Amino acid sequence: HGDRTDLALPKVQEDLLKELQKTGKPIIYVNFSGSAIALNWENENLPAIVQAFYPGEATGTALTRLLFGDFNPSGRLPITFYKSINDLPDFQSYVMQGRTYRYFRGEPLFSFGYGLSYTKFSYANLKAPLSLSTSSEAKITVEVTNTGKKDGDEIVQLYISNTKATVPVPIRTLAGFKSVFVKAGETKKVEFTLTPQNFSVIDNDYQRVVEPGKFTLSVGGKQPDAKAIAIGLVTQLDVAVTGNRFTITN
């Protein structure tokens, strides 16, 4: 009942891409859309995809500079790209379960926060107080190393998962991100400040509260998953929040 009945490209456009691929020439597919598209065939068969959204009148110049390597791409997806509309709840359902990176438990085509670059980064030495107060700020730091051969910006993403909540909570929540320029072979330390708000939940009375509990901090170039953690693209740390439960009023 929405303006579209599926997430795929119009058939005529995908058919055109398939004909172009038959030429044997490398195809860089640039997708202009304001929302997620199920680019399954494109992901499996084309060497590169650029998600351009609606970039404006300087599009030609920006894309040319990007594709010819004048700068290292660092954009990250602000939405989840699903594989199929079948992965989503019914259009008429307004529950959040199964929607967005915070509640979707399936395997997305491209996750929120995903993006490639012309170099590689690794993460190590995530440090934070192992016991945090419900009423105080806390500093956390992580080291980011450019392990590739090209200088570039990295989007360092911090996610928090509440592992012992007394009420339903998201799988994880983006608590902060920073863009940092790292030269090839260089390591930089990045710092975040966590506030009580970052650990808050909505209780059964619909009040935003901070309560003692256990949390997992994940910092990296994408959302945490087993593969990203294994190869050093994401690092994690478990922390405890202690103190008195209180309500956030502003």
Side-chain angles (χ1 to χ4, degrees):
H1 301 288
D3 61 347
R4 300 181 60 203
T5 57
D6 61 54
L7 297 177
L9 280 177
K11 185 176 183 301
V12 64
Q13 294 185 23
E14 192 159 283
D15 287 346
L16 174 60
L17 282 170
K18 290 177 179 179
E19 291 299 315
L20 290 171
Q21 191 215 25
K22 291 178 182 178
T23 66
K25 296 183 180 297
I27 303 296
I28 297 174
Y29 172 53
V30 182
N31 185 63
F32 295 92
S33 70
S35 60
I37 304 294
L39 303 172
N40 295 290
W41 182 89
E42 292 74 14
N43 182 50
E44 294 172 0
N45 293 278
L46 302 182
I49 299 173
V50 177
Q51 175 61 30
F53 292 103
Y54 298 140
E57 63 184 12
T59 300
T61 300
L63 282 174
T64 300
R65 293 185 60 213
L66 169 68
L67 298 177
F68 281 86
D70 289 354
F71 63 91
N72 188 45
S74 60
R76 299 295 182 262
L77 288 180
I79 55 177
T80 303
F81 275 49
Y82 306 96
K83 293 181 178 180
S84 168
I85 196 171
N86 296 326
D87 292 337
L88 294 168
D90 185 85
F91 182 81
Q92 293 184 345
S93 171
Y94 283 80
V95 299
M96 287 305 298
Q97 295 301 322
R99 302 181 191 277
T100 78
Y101 80 95
R102 295 177 48 160
Y103 297 96
F104 182 67
R105 294 190 178 277
E107 182 181 352
L109 180 63
F110 302 116
S111 61
F112 173 94
Y114 178 83
L116 300 178
S117 73
Y118 295 146
T119 189
K120 295 180 180 179
F121 298 91
S122 66
Y123 290 76
N125 296 325
L126 175 59
K127 295 181 179 181
L130 296 183
S131 180
L132 310 176
S133 170
T134 56
S135 58
S136 302
E137 294 185 347
K139 303 287 186 182
I140 74 167
T141 60
V142 68
E143 292 180 355
V144 185
T145 301
N146 185 338
T147 60
K149 298 180 180 180
K150 189 175 180 64
D151 301 344
D153 292 295
E154 168 71 329
I155 308 302
V156 183
Q157 303 166 42
L158 165 63
Y159 295 90
I160 297 181
S161 297
N162 189 329
T163 59
K164 296 292 183 180
T166 59
V167 293
V169 292
I171 302 167
R172 64 184 61 92
T173 299
L174 180 69
F177 64 91
K178 289 187 177 181
S179 177
V180 56
F181 180 78
V182 190
K183 294 181 179 179
E186 182 183 22
T187 297
K188 281 192 174 180
K189 181 179 290 187
V190 179
E191 180 180 285
F192 291 93
T193 299
L194 295 177
T195 68
Q197 178 89 13
N198 293 128
F199 299 100
S200 64
V201 299
I202 303 298
D203 68 10
N204 292 324
D205 295 320
Y206 304 104
Q207 300 293 314
R208 181 169 291 280
V209 301
V210 183
E211 56 186 10
K214 294 184 178 180
F215 298 80
T216 298
L217 308 180
S218 304
V219 183
K222 59 173 294 185
Q223 287 189 61
D225 57 47
K227 181 178 179 181
I229 295 169
I231 63 176
L233 189 56
V234 174
T235 183
Q236 291 185 315
L237 183 66
D238 293 328
V239 299
V241 173
T242 61
N244 296 322
R245 182 183 190 273
F246 71 92
T247 302
I248 295 177
T249 57
N250 53 15

